[in-house]
Amino acid sequence: MASAESVDRTSEALEKGLECCRQGEWSHGLFFLGKIAEAGRTSGMPGIFFSTLGYGIARYQNRADEGLKLCRHAVKIQFYEPSNYVYWART
């Protein structure tokens, strides 16, 4: 079970990552989102995490197949979020 401190750090990294991406600072945003993924802390993440990460790695790291998988997953778990579809379409 995750400690409260690690949950707080994960939430903080998610917010920082998404905010950086929204502001066009994709390298910084992908750094934070990538840390969450590398740590295996993706369980319970909202769809916007997966779609943002998916678009970012497809666009800026030339990993289109992996990015599309992440975007499809985002739509599957959070189908009512329009941003997930936008990132999927862009990817």
Side-chain angles (χ1 to χ4, degrees):
M1 183 170 214
S3 70
E5 183 179 327
S6 69
V7 170
D8 288 345
R9 284 184 288 170
T10 301
S11 295
E12 194 174 298
L14 176 63
E15 289 304 315
K16 284 181 182 179
L18 292 176
E19 185 59 30
C20 287
C21 292
R22 284 185 198 110
Q23 293 178 359
E25 298 174 11
W26 282 91
S27 62
H28 289 103
L30 291 175
F31 171 80
F32 289 111
L33 299 179
K35 287 293 183 187
I36 295 169
E38 288 171 7
R41 300 212 181 268
T42 60
S43 178
M45 282 288 140
I48 195 67
F49 164 78
F50 295 102
S51 62
T52 304
L53 181 59
Y55 171 75
I57 66 172
R59 173 77 169 88
Y60 298 100
Q61 297 177 0
N62 296 317
R63 295 162 45 195
D65 289 340
E66 190 176 345
L68 285 169
K69 286 179 187 176
L70 288 168
C71 288
R72 282 192 294 268
H73 179 70
V75 168
K76 187 182 283 186
I77 64 169
Q78 198 177 24
F79 63 89
Y80 48 84
E81 175 58 54
S83 297
N84 292 335
Y85 293 94
V86 171
Y87 282 130
W88 188 13
R90 288 181 179 171
T91 301

